[in-house]
Amino acid sequence: MKRQSGMSMMGFMALLLGVGVAIKLSMAIVPMYWDNRLLQQVISTMHESRSVNSASTIKQVRAVFQDRIRSNNLNIPLDNLEVKRGRNKLTVNLNYEVRGHLVANLFAVGQFSVHEEFE
């Protein structure tokens, strides 16, 4: 008797479905983390250029953040941007949520938090 080897049609379809789901998930999730990584780079360049320091006003900090996020084409909401003044430092907190569309009314949600101090 001859021994069969290989995949059945059902096994192939299951594999194809799994690969499709993995690709769709990565298309929804990777851009969220990429934007967060670019936000970290924007903040580090703000440190290097000293465009924000402890003497900056809250309006100036918001304007710098908005300009840099817009110029880098990032999809990050600044509604929850908190700027606090302390002794010889400026504290910036940003907690935000990004949704990536999967299928119909299913979304992948990423919650990010950024805390930075400028002197």
Side-chain angles (χ1 to χ4, degrees):
M1 187 157 140
K2 208 175 183 182
R3 186 166 179 216
Q4 290 186 348
S5 63
M7 265 187 166
S8 68
M9 186 61 147
M10 289 299 288
F12 179 71
M13 294 301 275
L15 178 67
L16 195 62
L17 178 68
V19 169
V21 168
I23 288 172
K24 183 63 178 171
L25 275 172
S26 65
M27 287 174 51
I29 293 173
V30 169
M32 292 181 215
Y33 284 95
W34 186 256
D35 283 351
N36 188 51
R37 185 176 184 283
L38 288 176
L39 178 64
Q40 295 296 333
Q41 288 179 350
V42 164
I43 291 173
S44 69
T45 58
M46 288 170 67
H47 275 292
E48 292 169 4
S49 68
R50 300 201 183 270
S51 58
V52 174
N53 56 30
S54 62
S56 300
T57 66
I58 294 173
K59 279 187 176 183
Q60 289 172 336
V61 173
R62 281 189 169 277
V64 168
F65 262 93
Q66 286 176 347
D67 289 342
R68 296 207 177 195
I69 284 176
R70 192 176 311 121
S71 68
N72 285 301
N73 199 23
L74 298 178
N75 186 23
I76 296 174
L78 291 179
D79 300 335
N80 296 330
L81 180 67
E82 295 177 359
V83 181
K84 295 180 184 176
R85 294 176 123 359
R87 268 193 119 131
N88 298 328
K89 68 179 176 179
L90 191 69
T91 305
V92 176
N93 292 317
L94 177 60
N95 298 317
Y96 65 97
E97 183 177 284
V98 182
R99 294 173 186 249
H101 184 257
L102 291 177
V103 178
N105 61 350
L106 295 177
F107 294 89
V109 179
Q111 293 181 337
F112 300 95
S113 179
V114 176
H115 174 80
E116 201 64 39
E117 294 180 356
F118 296 93
E119 295 180 5

